[in-house]
């Protein structure tokens, strides 16, 4: 079987983690490399990955996450932070982001103009900078889960949390970062349940 499909078959939203089994540093490095290599619109990388392994911090975090046991039972919890402030076309970060491509000056200028136009006409009329940056964070989330699964590591994506409470518990500087999504990582104690998916032909259309 294709190894990516094998990993995707292994992955499920794990609800019960083995509290005793910890993910090795080498495996966490692999998982974080998958996050690091994730694409983002315009290559903005407006994110940060807060890796939590401290039992004390996980315990404090759990009530802010609908008291879900995955938070305390998992080996590691990654809180993916979105960095919406830098998406503002006038932010210095935008200039630096395009300059680092080492393109001729006129092309860099054209990229910044294209970005500004796109954000003003397509993105901001429809969503906040937080929502747009969080969309990119979810790409990293998917890669984290697939990379984990490829190493036999289970995960549970978590949106069931009270954002402001989580930010308070973790003392997030909300002027810079906001919580996008959370993922718990560890090892399952139970068999994974049968997969529920609508038939492929219902969701795919060829033209
Ligand atoms: C963005 C996102 C947020 C989710 N939040 C939670 C959550 O807070 N708690 C939970 O137990 N499962 C959560 N899930 C898991 C979904 O319920 C699960 O992925 C879905 O039912 C499909 O099951 P599967 O992942 O096992 O294939 C979340 C999934 C996604 C993608």
């Amino acid at each position: 079987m294709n190894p990516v499909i094998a990993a995707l078959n292994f992955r499920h939203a794990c609800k019960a983690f083995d509290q005793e089994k910890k993910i090795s540093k080498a495996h966490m490095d692999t998982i974080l490399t998958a996050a690091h290599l994730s694409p983002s619109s315009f290559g903005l990388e407006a994110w940060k990955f807060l890796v939590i392994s401290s039992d004390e911090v996980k315990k404090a975090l759990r009530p802010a996450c609908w008291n879900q046991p995955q938070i305390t039972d998992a080996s590691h919890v990654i809180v993916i932070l979105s960095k919406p402030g830098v998406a503002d076309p006038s932010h210095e970060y935008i200039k630096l982001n395009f300059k680092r491509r080492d393109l001729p000056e006129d092309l860099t200028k054209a990229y910044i103009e294209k970005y500004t136009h796109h954000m003003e006409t397509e993105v901001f009329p429809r969503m906040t900078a937080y929502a747009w940056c969080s969309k990119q964070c979810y790409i990293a989330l998917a890669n984290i889960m697939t990379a984990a699964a490829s190493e036999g590591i289970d995960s549970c994506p978590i949106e069931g949390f009270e954002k402001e409470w989580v930010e308070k518990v973790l003392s997030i500087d909300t002027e810079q970062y906001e919580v996008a999504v959370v993922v718990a990582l560890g090892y399952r104690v139970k068999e994974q349940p049968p997969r529920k998916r609508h038939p492929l032909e219902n969701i795919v259309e060829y033209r």
Side-chain angles (χ1 to χ4, degrees), residues 11-15 66 68 70 138 141 145 156-161 181-182 193 195-197:
R11 190 216 59 82
H12 71 292
C14 183
K15 311 285 174 174
W66 298 358
Q68 297 187 68
Q70 298 94 306
Y138 279 65
L141 166 71
M145 295 191 294
C156 186
I158 292 179
E159 237 182 11
F161 58 80
V181 67
V182 173
R195 183 81 66 193
K196 296 262 187 308
R197 286 294 184 269

Short mmCIF file of all heavy atoms in Angstrom, two decimals, residues 11-15 66 68 70 138 141 145 156-161 181-182 193 195-197, ligand 1:
data_model
loop_
_atom_site.label_atom_id
_atom_site.label_comp_id
_atom_site.label_asym_id
_atom_site.label_seq_id
_atom_site.Cartn_x
_atom_site.Cartn_y
_atom_site.Cartn_z
N ARG A 11 -4.26 6.57 11.15
CA ARG A 11 -4.71 7.74 11.93
C ARG A 11 -6.20 7.71 12.20
O ARG A 11 -7.00 7.40 11.34
CB ARG A 11 -4.36 9.04 11.19
CG ARG A 11 -4.58 10.29 12.05
CD ARG A 11 -5.09 11.47 11.25
NE ARG A 11 -6.36 11.18 10.59
CZ ARG A 11 -7.56 11.25 11.20
NH1 ARG A 11 -7.66 11.60 12.48
NH2 ARG A 11 -8.67 10.95 10.53
N HIS A 12 -6.55 7.97 13.42
CA HIS A 12 -7.95 8.21 13.76
C HIS A 12 -7.93 9.20 14.92
O HIS A 12 -6.87 9.44 15.49
CB HIS A 12 -8.65 6.90 14.16
CG HIS A 12 -8.19 6.35 15.48
ND1 HIS A 12 -6.90 5.86 15.67
CD2 HIS A 12 -8.81 6.24 16.68
CE1 HIS A 12 -6.78 5.46 16.93
NE2 HIS A 12 -7.91 5.69 17.56
N ALA A 13 -9.08 9.76 15.21
CA ALA A 13 -9.13 10.71 16.32
C ALA A 13 -9.09 9.90 17.61
O ALA A 13 -10.13 9.40 18.09
CB ALA A 13 -10.37 11.59 16.22
N CYS A 14 -7.91 9.74 18.15
CA CYS A 14 -7.69 8.87 19.32
C CYS A 14 -8.28 9.53 20.57
O CYS A 14 -7.96 10.68 20.87
CB CYS A 14 -6.19 8.64 19.48
SG CYS A 14 -5.79 7.53 20.81
N LYS A 15 -9.13 8.81 21.24
CA LYS A 15 -9.78 9.39 22.43
C LYS A 15 -9.11 8.93 23.72
O LYS A 15 -9.22 9.59 24.74
CB LYS A 15 -11.27 8.99 22.48
CG LYS A 15 -12.04 9.20 21.19
CD LYS A 15 -12.36 10.65 20.93
CE LYS A 15 -12.99 10.79 19.56
NZ LYS A 15 -13.47 12.09 19.23
N TRP A 66 -12.66 21.70 27.24
CA TRP A 66 -13.86 20.92 27.51
C TRP A 66 -13.57 19.73 28.43
O TRP A 66 -14.22 18.69 28.33
CB TRP A 66 -14.50 20.41 26.21
CG TRP A 66 -14.97 21.45 25.26
CD1 TRP A 66 -14.94 22.80 25.40
CD2 TRP A 66 -15.57 21.21 23.98
NE1 TRP A 66 -15.48 23.42 24.31
CE2 TRP A 66 -15.88 22.46 23.40
CE3 TRP A 66 -15.88 20.05 23.25
CZ2 TRP A 66 -16.47 22.60 22.15
CZ3 TRP A 66 -16.46 20.18 22.01
CH2 TRP A 66 -16.76 21.44 21.46
N GLN A 68 -11.42 17.54 28.19
CA GLN A 68 -11.19 16.31 27.42
C GLN A 68 -9.96 15.57 27.96
O GLN A 68 -8.88 16.15 28.08
CB GLN A 68 -11.02 16.63 25.93
CG GLN A 68 -12.28 17.26 25.33
CD GLN A 68 -12.19 17.41 23.82
OE1 GLN A 68 -12.17 16.44 23.08
NE2 GLN A 68 -12.14 18.65 23.36
N GLN A 70 -7.97 13.54 26.63
CA GLN A 70 -6.81 13.45 25.72
C GLN A 70 -5.72 14.44 26.13
O GLN A 70 -4.53 14.18 25.94
CB GLN A 70 -7.21 13.76 24.27
CG GLN A 70 -8.25 12.83 23.65
CD GLN A 70 -9.65 13.39 23.80
OE1 GLN A 70 -10.05 13.70 24.91
NE2 GLN A 70 -10.38 13.49 22.72
N TYR A 138 -4.03 24.83 9.93
CA TYR A 138 -4.67 23.52 9.81
C TYR A 138 -3.93 22.63 8.80
O TYR A 138 -4.04 21.40 8.87
CB TYR A 138 -6.15 23.68 9.41
CG TYR A 138 -7.04 23.99 10.59
CD1 TYR A 138 -6.90 25.18 11.29
CD2 TYR A 138 -8.00 23.09 11.02
CE1 TYR A 138 -7.70 25.47 12.38
CE2 TYR A 138 -8.82 23.37 12.11
CZ TYR A 138 -8.66 24.56 12.78
OH TYR A 138 -9.44 24.84 13.87
N LEU A 141 -1.40 21.22 10.90
CA LEU A 141 -2.07 20.22 11.75
C LEU A 141 -2.17 18.88 11.03
O LEU A 141 -1.83 17.83 11.59
CB LEU A 141 -3.47 20.73 12.13
CG LEU A 141 -4.44 19.69 12.72
CD1 LEU A 141 -4.01 19.30 14.13
CD2 LEU A 141 -5.88 20.22 12.74
N MET A 145 -0.31 15.27 12.02
CA MET A 145 -1.03 14.01 12.29
C MET A 145 -0.57 12.89 11.36
O MET A 145 -0.42 11.74 11.78
CB MET A 145 -2.54 14.23 12.18
CG MET A 145 -3.07 15.17 13.26
SD MET A 145 -4.86 15.21 13.37
CE MET A 145 -5.31 15.93 11.80
N CYS A 156 -5.04 13.29 18.28
CA CYS A 156 -6.44 13.76 18.26
C CYS A 156 -6.43 15.27 18.02
O CYS A 156 -5.89 16.02 18.85
CB CYS A 156 -7.16 13.44 19.58
SG CYS A 156 -8.92 13.86 19.48
N PRO A 157 -6.99 15.70 16.88
CA PRO A 157 -7.10 17.15 16.67
C PRO A 157 -8.16 17.68 17.63
O PRO A 157 -9.17 17.00 17.86
CB PRO A 157 -7.57 17.26 15.22
CG PRO A 157 -8.26 15.97 14.92
CD PRO A 157 -7.65 14.93 15.81
N ILE A 158 -7.94 18.84 18.17
CA ILE A 158 -8.89 19.36 19.18
C ILE A 158 -9.25 20.82 18.89
O ILE A 158 -8.39 21.71 18.90
CB ILE A 158 -8.31 19.19 20.60
CG1 ILE A 158 -8.27 17.69 20.93
CG2 ILE A 158 -9.12 19.97 21.64
CD1 ILE A 158 -7.71 17.35 22.28
N GLU A 159 -10.53 20.99 18.61
CA GLU A 159 -11.09 22.33 18.45
C GLU A 159 -12.03 22.62 19.61
O GLU A 159 -12.54 23.73 19.73
CB GLU A 159 -11.90 22.39 17.14
CG GLU A 159 -11.44 23.45 16.20
CD GLU A 159 -12.26 23.54 14.92
OE1 GLU A 159 -13.34 22.92 14.82
OE2 GLU A 159 -11.83 24.25 14.03
N GLY A 160 -12.26 21.61 20.41
CA GLY A 160 -13.15 21.74 21.56
C GLY A 160 -12.41 22.39 22.71
O GLY A 160 -11.95 21.72 23.64
N PHE A 161 -12.27 23.71 22.62
CA PHE A 161 -11.61 24.46 23.70
C PHE A 161 -12.17 25.87 23.74
O PHE A 161 -12.79 26.33 22.78
CB PHE A 161 -10.08 24.49 23.52
CG PHE A 161 -9.62 25.09 22.22
CD1 PHE A 161 -9.55 26.46 22.03
CD2 PHE A 161 -9.23 24.26 21.16
CE1 PHE A 161 -9.12 27.00 20.82
CE2 PHE A 161 -8.79 24.80 19.95
CZ PHE A 161 -8.73 26.17 19.78
N VAL A 181 -5.57 25.96 16.83
CA VAL A 181 -6.05 24.60 17.03
C VAL A 181 -5.04 23.84 17.90
O VAL A 181 -3.89 24.27 18.04
CB VAL A 181 -6.30 23.91 15.64
CG1 VAL A 181 -5.01 23.68 14.86
CG2 VAL A 181 -7.11 22.63 15.76
N VAL A 182 -5.52 22.75 18.47
CA VAL A 182 -4.70 21.97 19.40
C VAL A 182 -4.63 20.54 18.88
O VAL A 182 -5.59 20.06 18.26
CB VAL A 182 -5.36 22.01 20.82
CG1 VAL A 182 -4.66 21.08 21.80
CG2 VAL A 182 -5.40 23.44 21.36
N PRO A 193 -11.81 2.60 16.19
CA PRO A 193 -13.15 2.20 15.74
C PRO A 193 -13.24 2.15 14.22
O PRO A 193 -12.39 2.72 13.54
CB PRO A 193 -14.05 3.31 16.30
CG PRO A 193 -13.16 4.47 16.55
CD PRO A 193 -11.77 3.96 16.75
N ARG A 195 -13.91 3.06 10.50
CA ARG A 195 -13.89 4.38 9.86
C ARG A 195 -15.27 4.71 9.30
O ARG A 195 -15.90 3.89 8.64
CB ARG A 195 -12.86 4.35 8.72
CG ARG A 195 -12.68 5.65 8.01
CD ARG A 195 -11.77 6.60 8.71
NE ARG A 195 -10.40 6.10 8.74
CZ ARG A 195 -9.44 6.61 9.51
NH1 ARG A 195 -9.71 7.61 10.31
NH2 ARG A 195 -8.24 6.11 9.49
N LYS A 196 -15.72 5.93 9.55
CA LYS A 196 -16.99 6.39 8.97
C LYS A 196 -16.67 7.46 7.93
O LYS A 196 -16.13 8.50 8.26
CB LYS A 196 -17.87 7.02 10.04
CG LYS A 196 -18.33 6.10 11.15
CD LYS A 196 -19.73 5.58 10.91
CE LYS A 196 -20.29 4.79 12.07
NZ LYS A 196 -19.45 3.70 12.55
N ARG A 197 -16.99 7.16 6.68
CA ARG A 197 -16.80 8.18 5.63
C ARG A 197 -17.93 8.05 4.62
O ARG A 197 -18.38 6.93 4.32
CB ARG A 197 -15.46 7.99 4.88
CG ARG A 197 -14.22 8.39 5.66
CD ARG A 197 -14.16 9.90 5.96
NE ARG A 197 -12.92 10.27 6.62
CZ ARG A 197 -12.75 10.33 7.95
NH1 ARG A 197 -13.75 10.02 8.77
NH2 ARG A 197 -11.59 10.69 8.47
C1 LIG B 1 -10.33 20.57 13.43
C2 LIG B 1 -10.82 19.39 14.18
C3 LIG B 1 -11.22 19.53 15.49
C4 LIG B 1 -11.62 18.43 16.23
N1 LIG B 1 -11.90 18.58 17.56
C5 LIG B 1 -12.11 17.48 18.31
C6 LIG B 1 -12.22 17.59 19.72
O1 LIG B 1 -12.18 18.66 20.30
N2 LIG B 1 -12.38 16.44 20.42
C7 LIG B 1 -12.43 15.21 19.82
O2 LIG B 1 -12.55 14.21 20.52
N3 LIG B 1 -12.33 15.09 18.49
C8 LIG B 1 -12.16 16.17 17.72
N4 LIG B 1 -12.02 16.05 16.36
C9 LIG B 1 -12.05 14.72 15.76
C10 LIG B 1 -13.22 14.50 14.79
O3 LIG B 1 -14.40 14.33 15.49
C11 LIG B 1 -12.87 13.28 13.92
O4 LIG B 1 -11.71 13.58 13.18
C12 LIG B 1 -13.98 12.86 12.99
O5 LIG B 1 -15.09 12.43 13.72
C13 LIG B 1 -13.54 11.75 12.05
O6 LIG B 1 -13.03 10.64 12.74
P1 LIG B 1 -11.55 10.11 12.49
O7 LIG B 1 -10.62 11.28 12.67
O8 LIG B 1 -11.33 9.07 13.57
O9 LIG B 1 -11.48 9.54 11.13
C14 LIG B 1 -11.67 17.15 15.60
C15 LIG B 1 -11.30 17.03 14.27
C16 LIG B 1 -10.86 18.11 13.57
C17 LIG B 1 -10.40 17.94 12.16
#
